[in-house]
Amino acid sequence: MRFYSKLFIAFITSGAHIQLGQCTKDLHRAILDDIMPPTSEFCSSSDTTFTNVYSRERISEWYKPYRHFAEDVFLMEMKNGENNKDAQKWSIRVGQGGNIYSFVGAFGEAMPPQANVHSTDNKKEGAPFMDEVWQTVAVDTTQNNVAEGHSYFIHQAGTYLTDDLREPFWSRDVCISEDDRDLIEEELLDMHCEDNFCSFGSWGQQAHIPTTFTSPALYFNRYADCGNGVLEH
């Protein structure tokens, strides 16, 4: 198993604002293609599969109190081709923020069981599918002051279970509205995936809430099946 990694973060300037769900499919694809370079010239596969239909056939050993969140966080699943050797096969599940929260290969499932509960400011915060995932996090070291209760961590995945939240607030794809989430499989995937790759643009959220800080970060990620067990990120 090999990985290639690239990282793209855009910060929103003062006075700008985000309107979710205002992009057409063609505009969404154009934005993602424009901000990220093409995949590697050595990266190609003809039998990559995608779906945005959640399946319970593969049971993950998630922490039982948080297990019911697994279907909520799910956005899509991507698998490399059947032509790969068994030791090279993998599948990833991508969350609402465009981050990987499940990675399965011949070694089993790489992600932790989501039992992470940590303490800040003498309070315990639940972090289901927020910390123990494959994501981008932006920290402003000039404003982050955990000792005084001013934590500045913009998570690609979303926020912690604080401020009386009963369920996580996931970061959102910047071009998918709530109505779009009810589209049929082919239309939704057409916004993200083609050939051997899927691309995502998401609005990161301050993980520690309530907060006085804004969340001026957009995260752009692309996952590509390069064949022979190689995943490009």
Side-chain angles (χ1 to χ4, degrees):
M1 184 75 67
R2 290 178 289 167
F3 307 92
Y4 300 137
S5 183
K6 300 175 182 178
L7 174 63
F8 300 91
I9 306 176
F11 286 91
I12 307 166
T13 58
S14 177
H17 67 281
I18 297 175
Q19 275 189 295
L20 299 181
Q22 298 302 308
C23 297
T24 64
K25 288 183 288 187
D26 289 341
L27 179 56
H28 189 193
R29 185 182 296 109
I31 291 172
L32 294 174
D33 288 347
D34 184 65
I35 202 166
M36 290 187 287
T39 58
S40 167
E41 61 181 299
F42 302 106
C43 189
S44 63
S45 178
S46 60
D47 56 354
T48 312
T49 60
F50 320 100
T51 180
N52 73 336
V53 177
Y54 182 79
S55 171
R56 296 180 178 86
E57 292 181 0
R58 174 166 61 78
I59 304 299
S60 298
E61 296 298 325
W62 303 125
Y63 180 49
K64 190 172 182 179
Y66 294 154
R67 194 173 296 170
H68 62 287
F69 292 133
E71 187 168 356
D72 295 335
V73 68
F74 176 84
L75 179 63
M76 61 83 64
E77 183 174 16
M78 175 179 177
K79 296 182 180 181
N80 69 346
E82 291 296 322
N83 292 331
N84 289 273
K85 299 177 181 177
D86 287 344
Q88 297 175 332
K89 291 181 181 178
W90 52 259
S91 67
I92 60 174
R93 286 188 172 181
V94 178
Q96 301 291 336
N99 58 286
I100 296 174
Y101 74 88
S102 174
F103 184 15
V104 174
F107 47 80
E109 187 153 28
M111 300 304 181
Q114 306 305 320
N116 185 18
V117 178
H118 60 276
S119 298
T120 57
D121 307 329
N122 298 317
K123 297 183 297 183
K124 284 191 174 181
E125 299 179 336
F129 303 98
M130 292 299 172
D131 272 349
E132 300 173 331
V133 295
W134 186 342
Q135 67 171 328
T136 308
V137 178
V139 182
D140 186 340
T141 57
T142 65
Q143 300 189 73
N144 182 48
N145 190 330
V146 178
E148 294 186 5
H150 302 298
S151 298
Y152 193 109
F153 295 85
I154 302 180
H155 277 203
Q156 183 187 352
T159 69
Y160 293 141
L161 282 179
T162 51
D163 200 26
D164 297 323
L165 285 183
R166 295 183 179 272
E167 59 185 39
F169 182 82
W170 317 112
S171 294
R172 294 300 188 186
D173 188 294
V174 293
C175 287
I176 299 182
S177 68
E178 291 304 314
D179 291 338
D180 289 332
R181 295 175 191 277
D182 294 327
L183 292 175
I184 63 173
E185 177 180 356
E186 290 80 10
E187 290 179 333
L188 181 55
L189 286 178
D190 188 45
M191 294 182 174
H192 298 93
C193 306
E194 57 182 295
D195 299 328
N196 63 323
F197 65 86
C198 292
S199 303
F200 303 90
S202 57
W203 178 22
Q205 301 297 309
Q206 290 285 350
H208 299 269
I209 56 171
T211 181
T212 58
F213 299 125
T214 59
S215 298
L218 299 176
Y219 295 122
F220 295 91
N221 290 267
R222 175 185 290 139
Y223 311 112
D225 173 14
C226 298
N228 297 318
V230 177
L231 171 65
E232 179 186 78
H233 175 204

